[in-house]
Amino acid sequence: GDDLIRGRLYDTETNIFAGAVFEIADTGGSTSLTWTNAQPDVGGSRANPAGERFFVCWERTLSSGGRFARYTTVDAAGNVSFVRAMGPTSTDSRVSEVHVSASAGNTSNVNAWNVCFRNFPSAAGSDREIWAGQYNPDGTVAALVDVVLAAPSPFFPGQLDISDGLAVSGTTPRYVIVYDDLGAGGSDVSALLCTGNTAPSLVDINALEHAVAARSQDLPRVVATTDRFVVGYVEDFGGTSTTYATTVDVTEDSFLAVAERRVSLPATNNAFRESLALAARASSGLASRWVGFGYEVLDPTDTDQDITGAVVAANNPSSPALQ
C-alpha cells in the first residue's frame, strides 16, 4: 500500500522516451519503519550543461509519525543521487505541497532551484508556516530551507506555487511564491517576494488590482519571464469562473508592483477545478515575455469539459509603483 516515486526521461528532440522507468524514492527498508511518498514535483537545469541534472522533491509520511519534505537530483542518464531531507524533521511536522521552480535559472546570473512547501505542525498552538530555500545545480544547499511566513490560525495557505529566480538590474536573484489564503475571511491570492530563505515583501494580489472582494480567487500559479513575473488564477462568482493573468514587477529591489489592469482570458464559465497551468518560454533560457496558459472550460453546447489554451505577452511597461 506504500507509494514509490518513479521517473522517466523524455527526449524533446526525438520525441521519444529515453530509457526505462526508474525508481527515485522507495518505501523504506525496515520492517519497523516504513514510509509513503506522494505528490512529486520536478525542476530542470540549463545553466550547468556539463552536469545537467533534474531536481525532484516530494512529501514523505513516516509510519512512526510526521510528514516531511524530501528531495534528490537525477542526472541526464537517469542516475539518482542520495535522497535528502529539507526543512523540519520533528514528528510534529505536517509538510505538504512541496514545490520546486521550473528551472534552476533562465539567465546566466541566476543558477539555483527555488523550493517551497507549507507546514502545519500538529503541536498545539503552532503557527501555520510557509518554508522556502534554494539549491545549487549540483544539489547542494544555496540557502537553507527555513520559515518565510508564519501565522496562527485561521491563517491557512494552500495551493502554493513558486517561480524561477530573476536578477533584475543586477540585483541578488529574487523569486515569488504565490498561495491562496483560504482562512482570511475570503480566498485571495497573495504573493511573497523572496531572496534566499527570507521574504522581504508580501502583497495581496487581488486587493491591489481592485478585484471584487466578494469573489473567490483560487488556483494561483506563477512563472518568471526574462524580467518580470506573471501570476495566473481562477476567480469564481456565482458558479461562473474566469481565468486571469496579472503581471508583477520587482521595484526598489525589495517590493512587488502589481498591475492594476488584470487580463481576462477566454473563455468564461470554466469549471472551478484543479485546472490551471502556466509555462514561460524564459524557463528554457529564451529572452522572452511569452507565457502559456492551460485551463479547463465548460463547453455550454454539450456540457463537456474542454482544455483551452491562451498565450499572454507581458509586454506592458514596467510598473514604477511601490506597494
Side-chain angles (χ1 to χ4, degrees):
D2 294 327
D3 296 315
L4 304 173
I5 301 295
R6 292 190 171 97
R8 197 173 189 187
L9 299 172
Y10 185 81
D11 191 323
T12 59
E13 292 186 357
T14 60
N15 292 321
I16 61 172
F17 286 102
V21 173
F22 51 87
E23 184 176 298
I24 295 175
D26 61 21
T27 58
S30 168
T31 56
S32 61
L33 181 62
T34 59
W35 46 75
T36 297
N37 303 294
Q39 304 298 322
D41 195 12
V42 61
S45 175
R46 63 165 290 275
N48 188 20
E52 185 178 11
R53 295 170 185 261
F54 301 94
F55 188 99
V56 184
C57 56
W58 63 94
E59 60 186 61
R60 171 175 287 181
T61 303
L62 268 62
S63 57
S64 59
R67 189 167 64 241
F68 313 99
R70 293 292 185 266
Y71 80 96
T72 189
T73 59
V74 180
D75 68 18
N79 298 308
V80 181
S81 183
F82 296 106
V83 172
R84 297 178 174 89
M86 61 178 177
T89 57
S90 166
T91 54
D92 287 331
S93 300
R94 295 295 183 270
V95 166
S96 60
E97 292 199 56
V98 187
H99 294 289
V100 60
S101 54
S103 79
N106 57 35
T107 58
S108 60
N109 57 352
V110 179
N111 202 11
W113 284 295
N114 308 314
V115 297
C116 72
F117 54 83
R118 68 178 188 179
N119 182 37
F120 294 172
S122 61
S126 296
D127 288 344
R128 280 100 183 280
E129 306 161 339
I130 296 178
W131 291 61
Q134 292 180 307
Y135 288 86
N136 295 312
D138 62 358
T140 58
V141 175
L144 188 67
V145 175
D146 206 344
V147 179
V148 293
L149 187 65
S153 178
F155 177 61
F156 193 89
Q159 303 172 344
L160 276 64
D161 196 21
I162 191 167
S163 75
D164 291 348
L166 288 182
V168 180
S169 302
T171 61
T172 302
R174 303 286 194 257
Y175 60 94
V176 168
I177 298 171
V178 292
Y179 64 92
D180 186 358
D181 193 351
L182 301 169
S187 187
D188 278 1
V189 172
S190 295
L192 278 168
L193 176 66
C194 300
T195 175
N197 56 9
T198 62
S201 181
L202 170 65
V203 298
D204 183 328
I205 295 284
N206 306 125
L208 294 176
E209 63 187 7
H210 311 297
V212 180
R215 299 182 180 181
S216 177
Q217 294 86 21
D218 298 271
L219 306 179
R221 303 289 185 264
V222 60
V223 294
T225 67
T226 304
D227 57 358
R228 69 197 328 175
F229 301 100
V230 175
V231 175
Y233 60 89
V234 177
E235 183 178 85
D236 177 68
F237 180 66
T240 297
S241 300
T242 303
T243 303
Y244 287 98
T246 300
T247 57
V248 179
D249 294 304
V250 179
T251 185
E252 294 297 317
D253 196 28
S254 299
F255 298 92
L256 286 173
V258 179
E260 296 185 79
R261 184 173 293 176
R262 60 184 183 173
V263 177
S264 174
L265 304 183
T268 57
N269 299 317
N270 49 307
F272 199 54
R273 298 181 181 180
E274 296 285 344
S275 60
L276 179 60
L278 273 64
R281 296 177 79 236
S283 288
S284 64
L286 297 173
S288 172
R289 281 185 169 181
W290 293 100
V291 176
F293 280 65
Y295 48 98
E296 189 176 0
V297 171
L298 175 64
D299 188 330
T301 60
D302 56 15
T303 67
D304 285 341
Q305 301 300 130
D306 297 333
I307 300 299
T308 296
V311 177
V312 173
N315 282 335
N316 286 335
S318 297
S319 172
L322 290 179
Q323 299 171 329

